[in-house]
Amino acid sequence: MAPSATYPIISTRHSGADLEAISDAVDEINVLKYKAAQQVTELLDADSPSTPHSFESEPESSTTTTHEQDLGDFDTPSHFDSTKDHSRFRQYTTAESRVLNFYTEQHTNQTVSHNLAARAHFASPNRQRPEMTIWQAIECLNSLIDESDPDTELSQIQHLLQSAEAIRRDGKPRWMQLVGLIHDLGKLMLFFALASGQWDVVGDSFPVGCRFSEKCILPESFGANPDSEHPVYSTEHGMYAPGCGIENLMMSWGHDEYLYQVVKDQSTIPREGLAMIRFHSFYPWHREEAYGWAMKEGDEELRRAVRAFNPYDLYSKSDEPVDVEAVKPYYMELIDEFFPNKVIKW
């Protein structure tokens, strides 16, 4: 008998279709920026074929640790998107206005105060935590978002499976396939009363409690954020010490951070996989190389992991539909491998 799912009454204040519309618009911008970065890389490589470029995966050390060997070849170049016509993705102007309004709201409201309150609510012993399996969570997200939008072209379950299947086809390790399968499940927070609106669910992420980087998208929209005038939070390092470690930054509250908080103690996903979940929207860091002052030894490996995952999130949405019932047994086994308890507390 399958485990039963229990969860409080799901909030109906928010539209799943609206959430996915802004999420897709944000992705469009990131796809175009990723494409531009690839074009720059190709031009530089053509001029200096022997010179490695910062967007390439870094070479492995000659003294590879046992831990690294156990992780498998997660950071070899992706192949699934090598024949894609990236020009099929809509241009910046179609998403510009919607994204501008979204980021103005997000950048105004993502304060230290808001983030402390959000984490306190998440961890509160008085909060009734939803309980369901990973697969039930996938189906729950699928119904909450897609049933509210009958014209959706790609269901949530299809995007998750397409990401996972692309990673699987490229021969990446099983833990990375699992990350592809679950990486967007944090969007459930909008329906579990763990978010105030779309602005603290989706969008690029960034740390709070220090100066907002000019390499964040639309950095001028941080002007209305009260932390921009705070005597500590407005300084470069803010409330942190240089070299504190990327994992010790308080990241803006959203679906990446929420899912990380859910799975970090309930799974055996390796550190690199948790970084893919937590930081895949942290574009100022993994693409633009901002916040380098916070990095410590080992953080470059995390950035390499996030960069390896990024193409599977951005480009897999255009793949052919996956036969859900055909692949479900494989992924049920994969879930059981990394989640000791079938029922997860959300």
Side-chain angles (χ1 to χ4, degrees):
M1 180 180 296
S4 59
T6 61
Y7 42 85
I9 296 174
I10 293 173
S11 170
T12 56
R13 287 195 306 121
H14 303 292
S15 163
D18 289 345
L19 175 67
E20 201 56 16
I22 189 61
S23 181
D24 285 346
V26 167
D27 283 349
E28 288 171 17
I29 300 299
N30 284 322
V31 164
L32 290 165
K33 291 172 71 176
Y34 185 84
K35 178 185 176 184
Q38 286 183 319
Q39 291 172 337
V40 171
T41 301
E42 291 168 0
L43 288 172
L44 291 174
D45 287 347
D47 290 339
S48 304
S50 61
T51 304
H53 187 263
S54 60
F55 287 104
E56 298 282 344
S57 296
E58 296 198 356
E60 291 188 11
S61 167
S62 58
T63 56
T64 304
T65 64
T66 301
H67 172 65
E68 289 171 337
Q69 291 174 341
D70 291 341
L71 290 175
D73 296 328
F74 68 85
D75 61 341
T76 52
S78 61
H79 300 296
F80 81 101
D81 60 339
S82 59
T83 60
K84 289 183 184 292
D85 176 11
H86 295 167
S87 65
R88 290 187 301 112
F89 293 90
R90 284 171 286 174
Q91 296 302 303
Y92 183 96
T93 52
T94 60
E96 185 176 15
S97 177
R98 181 191 294 257
V99 169
L100 176 61
N101 293 333
F102 166 80
Y103 277 117
T104 298
E105 185 177 18
Q106 186 203 53
H107 290 175
T108 298
N109 293 313
Q110 284 281 7
T111 62
V112 169
S113 176
H114 170 74
N115 275 267
L116 289 173
R119 286 162 172 78
H121 176 52
F122 169 78
S124 172
N126 297 322
R127 180 173 75 90
Q128 183 183 353
R129 296 186 66 167
E131 296 185 11
M132 65 184 88
T133 69
I134 293 293
W135 196 266
Q136 287 169 340
I138 292 172
E139 293 178 333
C140 182
L141 182 66
N142 201 56
S143 63
L144 287 171
I145 288 185
D146 296 325
E147 287 183 5
S148 65
D149 181 11
D151 296 323
T152 184
E153 295 181 359
L154 181 70
S155 69
Q156 290 298 296
I157 199 167
Q158 281 294 327
H159 170 51
L160 294 175
L161 284 172
Q162 286 179 357
S163 295
E165 283 290 277
I167 294 169
R168 182 184 177 190
R169 287 196 304 272
D170 276 357
K172 305 293 184 177
R174 287 170 63 82
W175 61 264
M176 188 171 173
Q177 297 170 32
L178 178 67
V179 168
L181 181 69
I182 70 173
H183 74 278
D184 268 352
L185 290 184
K187 291 178 181 178
L188 283 169
M189 67 187 294
L190 185 65
F191 307 100
F192 293 157
L194 288 165
S196 301
Q198 298 170 1
W199 60 268
D200 60 348
V201 179
V202 295
D204 290 8
S205 60
F206 48 86
V208 297
C210 60
R211 182 186 302 154
F212 301 115
S213 172
E214 288 295 317
K215 293 187 176 180
C216 291
I217 187 171
L218 300 170
E220 64 278 6
S221 60
F222 284 109
N225 187 306
D227 288 356
S228 295
E229 303 296 328
H230 190 279
V232 175
Y233 305 153
S234 63
T235 62
E236 181 179 13
H237 303 151
M239 62 185 189
Y240 310 103
C244 61
I246 288 296
E247 293 166 300
N248 291 317
L249 297 177
M250 183 185 293
M251 298 302 299
S252 52
W253 186 246
H255 78 282
D256 302 347
E257 182 68 17
Y258 166 62
L259 183 61
Y260 164 75
Q261 295 292 340
V262 168
V263 304
K264 66 176 184 176
D265 296 323
Q266 299 188 80
S267 74
T268 59
I269 297 171
R271 181 173 177 241
E272 288 75 4
L274 293 176
M276 293 174 182
I277 290 170
R278 190 181 190 191
F279 300 126
H280 71 267
S281 299
F282 190 10
Y283 286 93
W285 174 63
H286 70 73
R287 175 183 289 165
E288 307 296 338
E289 301 192 347
Y291 301 101
W293 56 263
M295 294 176 67
K296 67 178 182 179
E297 184 178 357
D299 284 354
E300 190 56 53
E301 285 72 19
L302 297 184
R303 182 154 61 185
R304 187 159 56 95
V306 178
R307 286 173 172 170
F309 175 74
N310 193 233
Y312 299 101
D313 181 33
L314 288 184
Y315 287 129
S316 62
K317 287 184 179 180
S318 60
D319 283 356
E320 292 299 317
V322 177
D323 184 337
V324 177
E325 292 306 313
V327 301
K328 182 177 177 179
Y330 175 83
Y331 287 105
M332 293 293 286
E333 179 183 332
L334 192 64
I335 291 166
D336 289 344
E337 181 179 343
F338 292 96
F339 284 90
N341 297 320
K342 290 184 180 297
V343 178
I344 307 301
K345 294 182 182 296
W346 296 85

